[in-house]
Amino acid sequence: MIRCTHVGGPTLLIEVAGWRLLTDPTFDPPGRRYAFGWGTSSTKLTGPAVAPDDLGPLDAVLLTHDHHADNLDDRGRALLPQAGTVVTTRSGARRLAVDALGLDPWVTTRLEAPGRPAITATATPCRHGPPLSRPVAGDVVGFALTWEGAAGALWISGDTVLFAGLREVARRIPVDVAVLHLGGVQFPVTGPLRYSMTATQAVEILRLVRPRVAVPVHYEGWAHFRQGRADVDAALAGAPDVRTSVRWLPLGEPADL
């Protein structure tokens, strides 16, 4: 059984096989505006549905990237030393003030602890924007998690648009549960360019990956998101082949997948 609690934004508490894993910690209160670099910024609109002190013990943090506050804010950063392991991008591991393991896409590590099955974590490719945007948007990875007895991988897409790297994930990894970072992010300074998956792209990746369950995250709580749940539901209305796999998690409430 996989139990997930959506804290808000990209932050998800995953409880599986005796492990307690947290993705992209964001726990700052709402109201502050954060600069993302190169003339881009956004305001946090809602706070976390679970306070850091109420999370309980953490075995690991899976950090898709450290350099944008909507994926790692100040209170989230303060939480990192409490995690047994922090896994992130190779460049992010060099920047963080805690000991972290940095992975390039398709590199694998194992989370091991007595009395529970090891989890194999494979970094999956992301492109956080249009072609050639990596020098501006920075490095991002997703994570595919597998363990003994799992029906398939638990895949966390990370902040990415649909591109060849995600299609490669669909070819290489059998996915049981897909956690999709959505939102269709845009900024006024870059016009129509997108920096995360749109609803239409979400439907396409679901058709490629065919997960048993798909969990949307990172579509609410910030001003730079241009597509929320209503947009995704509208796209899914025309995709009966995949819409039944989508599970919207209530914020702050554990859900068994």
Side-chain angles (χ1 to χ4, degrees):
M1 181 183 69
I2 300 171
R3 174 168 291 175
C4 291
T5 305
H6 189 191
V7 175
T11 310
L12 196 67
L13 176 64
I14 301 169
E15 299 173 84
V16 62
W19 291 87
R20 305 184 84 252
L21 313 173
L22 189 71
T23 67
D24 287 359
T26 54
F27 291 95
D28 284 0
R32 178 177 163 189
R33 190 169 190 85
Y34 298 79
F36 294 153
W38 295 82
T40 63
S41 63
S42 184
T43 299
K44 189 170 187 179
L45 303 177
T46 59
V50 180
D53 292 342
D54 295 331
L55 285 174
L58 298 173
D59 296 304
V61 168
L62 304 174
L63 179 59
T64 66
H65 57 303
D66 69 301
H67 53 283
H68 293 152
D70 60 328
N71 295 84
L72 181 67
D73 57 20
D74 291 346
R75 292 190 180 181
R77 197 176 293 270
L79 185 72
L80 295 181
Q82 300 177 32
T85 303
V86 177
V87 187
T88 188
T89 62
R90 200 149 60 103
S91 58
R94 291 194 296 266
R95 288 188 293 262
L96 291 173
V98 298
D99 187 23
L101 175 63
L103 301 180
D104 287 326
W106 300 118
V107 174
T108 291
T109 190
R110 281 168 62 87
L111 305 177
E112 297 180 301
R116 66 189 85 164
I119 291 181
T120 298
T122 301
T124 58
C126 295
R127 197 184 75 202
H128 199 358
L132 306 180
S133 63
R134 191 177 305 277
V136 175
D139 294 328
V140 182
V141 291
F143 298 99
L145 310 178
T146 57
W147 56 94
E148 184 179 356
L154 191 165
W155 174 50
I156 301 150
S157 73
D159 286 11
T160 183
V161 297
L162 181 60
F163 76 119
L166 292 198
R167 296 184 177 92
E168 189 176 0
V169 171
R171 289 193 299 269
R172 292 174 61 164
I173 299 177
V175 173
D176 178 48
V177 174
V179 177
L180 300 182
H181 289 213
L182 304 179
V185 165
Q186 288 179 305
F187 298 100
V189 70
T190 52
L193 299 179
R194 300 281 188 175
Y195 293 86
S196 65
M197 270 193 281
T198 64
T200 300
Q201 290 176 342
V203 168
E204 184 174 346
I205 194 62
L206 287 176
R207 284 177 170 153
L208 293 171
V209 174
R210 295 289 177 177
R212 176 179 59 86
V213 179
V215 176
V217 299
H218 214 24
Y219 61 87
E220 45 69 46
W222 286 81
H224 61 305
F225 294 140
R226 295 294 182 263
Q227 293 188 342
R229 176 171 177 171
D231 300 283
V232 178
D233 280 338
L236 290 169
D241 53 325
V242 296
R243 71 182 175 209
T244 57
S245 68
V246 175
R247 179 92 175 268
W248 297 94
L249 301 188
L251 290 173
E253 297 180 21
D256 295 334
L257 306 180

